[in-house]
Amino acid sequence: MNDHREIVFLTLCPVTMPTTFPFHRRAALAVAIASSCAASCGGASAADIKLNQLGFLPGAVKVAVVPETGATTFSVIRAAGGTGGGTVVLQGTLSAARSAPESGETVRQADFSTLTTAGRYQLRVAGLPDSLPFDVSASAFQALNAGAIRAYYYNRASIALDRQHAGVYARAAGHPDTSVMVHASAASSARPAGTIISSPKGWYDAGDYNKYIVNSGISTYTLLAAWEDFPAQFRQQALNIPESGNGIPDLLNETLWNLQWMLTMQDPNDGGVYHKLTDKSFDGFVMPADAHQQRYVVQKTTAAALDFAAVMATASRVLAPYDKQLPGLAARMRTAAERAWRWANANPRAYYQQPADIKTGEYGDQDVRDEFAWAAAELFITTGDAAYYQAMQAPTVQATVPSWGQVDSLAWMSLARHRQHLAAVADQALIASRIDTLSSQLAAVSQRSAYGTAMQAADYVWGSNAMVLNQAMVLLHGYRLTGKRTYLDAAQANFDYILGRNAVDISFVTGFGARSTLHPHHRPSEADGIAAPVPGFVAGGPQPGREDQKDCKASYASTLPARAYLDDVCSYASNEVAINWNAPLVYVSAALQALTPAPAK
Ligand code: G3I
Ligand code: 9MR
């Protein structure tokens, strides 16, 4: 170590701090930053040890990220305030220092995986404030998983949230959506512009009150995938939603609220699917019941038809065992999926084009090859018809981290999940290799990154936290398929990032973690008059685009990719919530609970 080396030291707070300072003074300055920030920004500071604020399963890999001070050792202590508070239970050596270009820091990792005894602890490094307390517990992520699913209940359209189920977040019903107008862009001879249709239920997409089929596609699918992969996690889960106790698991009950809406978005006359159900422009920051703009269904698109087909094909096989409770629904969904598929094949280039009078979200996509592949794969799995597998053109389909516009890996994950029951036409080796290759690439990034996650600078997109979680979802599929522990550990690292092991030192899930997102761009959270945001939502996350800066009085603390985050209601580009971002949170929290082995005795 060279005493004259300069390192960048960062602050998350809107206070003036030096950005460089000599090595020999950095520990003292770190502490100064810590105390100055504690007063002005809720305690987060560049000097903090960053870790998963919720905690860890006993058998999981356990890593914290430690700002560089020159210290080379750490200890784990029993948490202050509890029995034996301050007692050292474990000591270890920090990793070598590594630089994190995406956040402009130099950090070390503390690996305390050998801590397997349940309890509440803190991490201690000389010269730094002790970490936030964290738990080691066999049920570490159960409450988070339930909370992340309940977030969908809180975002339901067309229903009052009552006290019994919503507690302080009870609210009047909004958007009955029983009198929705067919927009000129969606007009047909059977349904000319101005025709009134009924399209109730569904989830609000995000912080806004509109409903978009493309984004509902990946969101609803991911919840169904969580069920297909880990039914035991969900079978007994009681979420206290209105349908609880009806003989259908609550995850499926919640998902049905959106599936029922999606079905109404198919034009019964031709099988085409409307792209979205929307206001002409975004509502103000009012409660759902106070938003009264006329609603429209807008343009039928190829992407909407294919995402709809994929989800309905999936739902049809998932709900088949519940025919007694839901008579005829699974069959109806399968027919709906096949009709949408046929419409898309007859209209393969109906790309979304935002009409001049519509200002809401677009979810536009000019390349629907991946949507064709995904729909084909789900129809193949559900029907067993080899023609669908041929239509998928599997050798041409890549594997990428899923997002609303990039769904090829949803096909691979579904095929892998059902591999033991696929018709012979399926190329099993190809399916396994697509998932294994993508997983190994992600795990390799994770192993060399300073924070130990699979995130690289280019991954900090709008909704970067969903990138983090979808990377984890891919890795968990990789682990299920190959048993490679590095994949499970990399998924855990990404999950830790969401819950506090990140450069802004925050748990991005509302209501979970000692220092979590407080001011999401979410209309009900802002308009309900309750200080705490509606719980269980993951915020979009850091991204340097800052498209919202013009609408924000506060400034982003940094333009660096991993630190361009603003916990302010104005920040739709870094702090909105969305159904497609919460879905992999549900998946990953359930998967880690289900898959993490018990510690070796
Ligand atoms: O496709 C281009 C790519 O070619 C280019 O390399 C890259 C460089 O930045 O940009 C890509 O486009 C991005 C696009 O998402 C697709 O990923 C845009 O920059 C980016 O601004 C765009 O962000 C979307 C955002 O809406 C604005 O349109 C988010 O993905 C999407 O999640 C978000 O969705 C909104 C809904 O419209 C409305 N409801 C809330 C929801 C969440 O904020
Ligand atoms: O609230 C809107 C949010 O849901 C969208 O994701 C975002 C981007 O399309 O737009 C938000 O609405 C803002 C609009 O784009 C610009 N003026 C301020 C609006 C509310 O902050």
Side-chain angles (χ1 to χ4, degrees):
M1 274 286 166
N2 174 341
D3 255 12
H4 298 291
R5 185 188 327 177
E6 303 260 305
I7 68 160
V8 177
F9 228 106
L10 305 160
T11 171
L12 306 169
C13 311
V15 291
T16 311
M17 289 282 169
T19 52
T20 63
F21 61 95
F23 174 72
H24 67 275
R25 291 187 54 214
R26 59 194 167 189
L29 251 164
V31 174
I33 291 169
S35 47
S36 120
C37 275
S40 61
C41 64
S45 125
D48 284 343
I49 296 167
K50 281 100 174 172
L51 47 67
N52 181 330
Q53 298 173 18
L54 278 197
F56 302 88
L57 294 160
V61 64
K62 305 176 191 73
V63 170
V65 170
V66 177
E68 167 66 336
T69 63
T72 55
T73 59
F74 70 90
S75 50
V76 177
I77 58 170
R78 289 203 184 282
T83 321
T87 314
V88 174
V89 297
L90 187 84
Q91 289 183 304
T93 306
L94 294 170
S95 74
R98 284 185 188 170
S99 72
E102 66 282 6
S103 61
E105 297 165 283
T106 302
V107 298
R108 295 177 187 248
Q109 291 180 18
D111 186 334
F112 50 103
S113 304
T114 54
L115 177 73
T116 57
T117 309
R120 172 160 282 212
Y121 307 95
Q122 288 173 278
L123 207 88
R124 176 168 284 174
V125 174
L128 296 176
D130 289 342
S131 78
L132 291 171
F134 61 89
D135 292 321
V136 173
S137 158
S139 59
F141 310 132
Q142 298 285 25
L144 172 70
N145 179 258
I149 302 171
R150 276 182 55 80
Y152 289 88
Y153 164 64
Y154 289 125
N155 243 31
R156 285 187 188 186
S158 321
I159 187 175
L161 307 188
D162 55 39
R163 281 258 153 198
Q164 186 194 338
H165 303 105
V168 293
Y169 299 102
R171 60 164 171 81
H175 305 90
D177 288 341
T178 47
S179 183
V180 176
M181 213 173 259
V182 174
H183 186 264
S185 60
S188 61
S189 52
R191 285 182 167 184
T195 304
I196 298 295
I197 67 164
S198 182
S199 189
K201 302 190 180 179
W203 301 308
Y204 298 128
D205 182 56
D208 63 327
Y209 292 144
N210 304 298
K211 306 190 289 197
Y212 308 79
I213 285 291
V214 164
N215 204 41
S216 269
I218 185 169
S219 309
T220 311
Y221 165 79
T222 302
L223 297 182
L224 293 170
W227 165 262
E228 284 200 301
D229 279 341
F230 310 108
Q233 288 294 312
F234 300 110
R235 223 180 278 284
Q236 303 306 329
Q237 190 182 46
L239 292 177
N240 186 32
I241 56 177
E243 299 78 11
S244 294
N246 66 356
I248 300 172
D250 276 350
L251 175 63
L252 299 183
N253 276 325
E254 190 51 53
T255 307
L256 273 161
W257 191 260
N258 206 54
L259 287 164
Q260 287 162 347
W261 165 66
M262 289 181 78
L263 281 171
T264 70
M265 290 290 279
Q266 183 170 44
D267 183 346
N269 301 293
D270 63 5
V273 179
Y274 302 109
H275 194 73
K276 62 175 174 176
L277 189 163
T278 182
D279 305 332
K280 282 196 166 176
S281 52
F282 288 116
D283 287 306
F285 272 69
V286 298
M287 292 300 282
D290 300 322
H292 299 298
Q293 292 189 59
Q294 175 62 45
R295 310 271 270 179
Y296 296 86
V297 286
V298 178
Q299 200 190 337
K300 290 171 194 160
T301 64
T302 313
L306 292 169
D307 288 347
F308 174 99
V311 168
M312 288 303 159
T314 306
S316 151
R317 63 176 183 258
V318 166
L319 295 175
Y322 299 96
D323 207 51
K324 210 169 121 216
Q325 293 91 338
L326 305 164
L329 185 63
R332 189 179 152 209
M333 287 172 159
R334 177 172 159 162
T335 304
E338 293 186 296
R339 292 195 72 203
W341 169 259
R342 284 197 295 274
W343 187 93
N345 280 275
N347 300 272
R349 275 179 290 280
Y351 303 129
Y352 184 66
Q353 198 176 359
Q354 181 93 307
D357 60 340
I358 302 283
K359 309 291 181 200
T360 53
E362 298 195 16
Y363 292 116
D365 190 350
Q366 304 284 315
D367 181 348
V368 294
R369 285 173 297 181
D370 51 316
E371 282 80 6
F372 267 109
W374 178 36
E378 300 301 349
L379 281 159
F380 169 60
I381 295 163
T382 297
T383 66
D385 183 344
Y388 285 118
Y389 187 80
Q390 303 294 5
M392 182 188 164
Q393 300 179 35
T396 69
V397 180
Q398 298 306 306
T400 54
V401 176
S403 66
W404 62 259
Q406 197 64 51
V407 293
D408 40 22
S409 287
L410 305 185
W412 295 121
M413 290 190 283
S414 286
L415 290 169
R417 171 177 314 128
H418 292 280
R419 63 192 176 282
Q420 268 135 22
H421 312 285
L422 297 179
V425 65
D427 184 342
Q428 297 278 353
L430 181 67
I431 295 165
S433 100
R434 283 289 193 272
I435 289 182
D436 191 25
T437 302
L438 182 56
S439 298
S440 75
Q441 288 162 354
L442 293 168
V445 176
S446 189
Q447 273 154 23
R448 60 174 185 262
S449 99
Y451 269 76
T453 74
M455 290 292 281
Q456 298 177 279
D459 296 326
Y460 289 88
V461 294
W462 189 312
S464 61
N465 282 337
M467 177 71 86
V468 175
L469 289 163
N470 279 312
Q471 288 175 341
M473 183 165 79
V474 169
L475 284 158
L476 289 160
H477 276 83
Y479 175 66
R480 271 162 53 96
L481 207 58
T482 66
K484 291 179 190 166
R485 180 72 197 224
T486 50
Y487 295 175
L488 178 66
D489 292 352
Q492 178 71 50
N494 272 29
F495 188 64
D496 292 347
Y497 170 103
I498 294 295
L499 293 167
R501 177 176 153 189
N502 57 62
V504 295
D505 196 14
I506 209 169
S507 161
F508 290 114
V509 183
T510 57
F512 288 86
R515 185 158 54 226
S516 58
T517 293
L518 293 177
H519 309 290
H521 185 88
H522 180 234
R523 283 165 173 74
S525 290
E526 176 68 3
D528 63 8
I530 299 166
V534 179
F537 283 103
V538 64
Q543 64 109 357
R546 294 172 299 143
E547 291 83 349
D548 48 24
Q549 187 63 82
K550 60 184 184 309
D551 294 311
C552 290
K553 288 196 191 80
S555 292
Y556 280 74
S558 172
T559 59
L560 286 166
R563 296 182 59 237
Y565 174 70
L566 186 55
D567 186 11
D568 189 304
V569 65
C570 68
S571 182
Y572 47 86
S574 83
N575 210 32
E576 192 162 354
V577 305
I579 56 174
N580 60 317
W581 305 340
N582 249 59
L585 178 64
V586 170
Y587 186 98
V588 173
S589 51
L592 289 172
Q593 271 293 152
L595 296 176
T596 306
K601 290 261 183 280

